[in-house]
């Protein structure tokens, strides 16, 4: 194979000068393979499933009551990170995060749930008619982020979802990290995790924040707007942003993260 490749190179080299031909052959043989990647390779196997349910308005209270009573049937199969009711930015919605160590584990969990008579009869049969829609998304923590617990129980959570322009972290990763840490480091908000999408809407990143209460969030946000360092970091990230959506959420009584 190498002999044929070298022969072809020498044939092509006959059309140019000897010195240029030798230089061209050396460059082609030494050229590295191009990586079709726009950012760091995903090294973590652990991923998270974001699930958003839109509940029928007349069934919202009944849905939360049923889930509070029967969630143990679901958590017997895999780890629940958090379960929230959306207060602002999406009425009659719940948002929950599930953790998986592999896609094989998730497939096994889904198969086990389908065979679990208690889950199917006591929860699923009653819950599904209460919903208008379901949406799921598979996400990974960005390389520089870890998942944290809130500093104390209680408080409110904000999920901020950013739709970035195509190009990947190689284009906008640094600016995005700077914008988030500019809020987190001085204490304007507590960052619990930053995620990027793998399945669902691509080029989407999420930040999960914690605040003591909604009024504290408003106060800290106002302070951040007067911080020149934060303003500069956000401005640099803004050029890579197509759209943004915020949800303010309250943890359900059965949520591990609360």
């Amino acid at each position: 194979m190498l002999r044929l490749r070298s022969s072809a190179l020498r044939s092509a080299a006959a059309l140019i000068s000897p010195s240029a031909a030798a230089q061209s052959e050396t460059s082609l043989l030494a050229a590295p393979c191009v990586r079709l990647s726009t950012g760091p390779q995903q090294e973590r196997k652990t991923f998270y499933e974001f699930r958003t349910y839109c509940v029928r308005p007349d069934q919202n209270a009944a849905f939360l009551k049923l889930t509070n009573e029967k969630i143990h049937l679901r958590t017997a199969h895999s780890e629940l990170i958090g379960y929230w009711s959306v207060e602002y930015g999406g009425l009659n919605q719940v948002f929950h995060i599930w953790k998986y160590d592999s896609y094989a584990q998730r497939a096994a969990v889904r198969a086990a749930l389908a065979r679990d008579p208690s889950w199917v009869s006591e929860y699923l049969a009653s819950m599904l008619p209460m919903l208008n829609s379901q949406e799921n998304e598979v996400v990974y923590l960005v390389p520089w982020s870890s998942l944290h617990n809130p500093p104390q129980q209680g408080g409110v959570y904000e999920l901020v979802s950013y739709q970035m322009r195509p190009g990947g972290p190689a284009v906008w990763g640094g600016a995005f990290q700077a914008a988030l840490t500019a809020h987190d480091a001085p204490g304007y908000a507590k960052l619990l995790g930053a995620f990027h999408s793998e399945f669902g809407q691509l080029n989407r990143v999420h930040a999960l924040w914690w605040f003591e209460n909604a009024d504290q969030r408003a106060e800290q946000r106002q302070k951040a707007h007067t911080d020149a360092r934060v303003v500069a970091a956000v401005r640099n990230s803004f050029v890579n942003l197509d759209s943004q959506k915020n949800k303010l959420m309250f943890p359900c009584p059965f949520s591990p993260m609360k």
Side-chain angles (χ1 to χ4, degrees):
M1 181 71 73
L2 182 58
R3 188 178 297 113
L4 290 173
R5 185 181 181 189
S6 297
S7 177
L9 287 170
R10 282 193 293 271
S11 298
L15 300 177
I16 55 179
S17 65
S19 59
Q23 186 177 17
S24 176
E25 180 176 353
T26 301
S27 299
L28 288 170
L29 290 172
C33 295
V34 176
R35 288 184 177 271
L36 300 179
S37 173
T38 56
Q41 297 296 304
Q42 181 62 53
E43 296 181 353
R44 298 176 180 176
K45 292 185 178 180
T46 298
F47 65 87
Y48 301 87
E49 184 175 8
F50 284 9
R51 297 182 73 91
T52 302
Y53 294 170
C54 293
V55 186
R56 288 172 46 191
D58 62 322
Q59 295 294 319
N60 195 53
F63 172 88
L64 292 174
K65 181 178 183 295
L66 176 67
T67 304
N68 184 57
E69 294 172 350
K70 302 297 182 179
I71 192 66
H72 66 280
L73 299 174
R74 178 61 183 83
T75 54
H77 292 272
S78 64
E79 183 178 355
L80 174 64
I81 298 299
Y83 206 113
W84 296 268
S85 176
V86 179
E87 183 69 14
Y88 300 105
L91 293 179
N92 302 302
Q93 288 186 3
V94 294
F95 172 74
H96 33 130
I97 303 176
W98 299 87
K99 178 183 177 182
Y100 295 100
D101 296 325
S102 67
Y103 291 99
Q105 184 215 357
R106 183 187 182 277
V109 167
R110 303 305 298 177
L113 284 168
R115 296 190 303 266
D116 186 336
S118 297
W119 168 253
V120 173
S121 63
E122 296 180 29
Y123 183 73
L124 211 58
S126 299
M127 180 274 285
L128 287 177
M130 298 178 180
L131 300 185
N132 279 327
S133 65
Q134 294 174 288
E135 179 183 354
N136 76 329
E137 183 177 358
V138 170
V139 301
Y140 289 88
L141 285 164
V142 298
W144 52 267
S145 178
S146 299
L147 187 63
H148 301 281
N149 287 317
Q152 64 189 52
Q153 287 195 358
V156 298
Y157 295 73
E158 183 177 14
L159 180 70
V160 187
S161 302
Y162 305 89
Q163 187 61 46
M164 310 301 288
R165 293 179 181 173
V171 175
W172 43 256
F176 174 74
Q177 179 179 357
L180 263 60
T181 54
H183 287 83
D184 184 39
Y188 295 124
K190 176 61 179 177
L191 182 64
L192 302 183
F195 308 83
H196 67 89
S197 63
E198 182 73 9
F199 293 105
Q201 183 69 46
L202 296 183
N203 298 301
R204 179 182 289 178
V205 284
H206 305 273
L208 183 63
W209 302 93
W210 178 88
F211 299 91
E212 293 180 9
N213 52 59
D215 288 319
Q216 189 245 358
R217 176 198 176 274
E219 292 169 3
Q220 294 297 333
R221 185 173 177 83
Q222 186 63 34
K223 289 180 180 179
H225 286 170
T226 63
D227 188 324
R229 186 178 59 86
V230 173
V231 172
V234 171
R235 184 180 293 118
N236 290 336
S237 179
F238 177 79
V239 297
N240 302 303
L241 181 68
D242 275 341
S243 63
Q244 175 180 332
K245 186 173 184 179
N246 298 37
K247 294 181 179 181
L248 197 70
M249 312 180 300
F250 291 99
C252 295
F254 52 85
S255 175
M257 190 177 281
K258 56 183 162 192

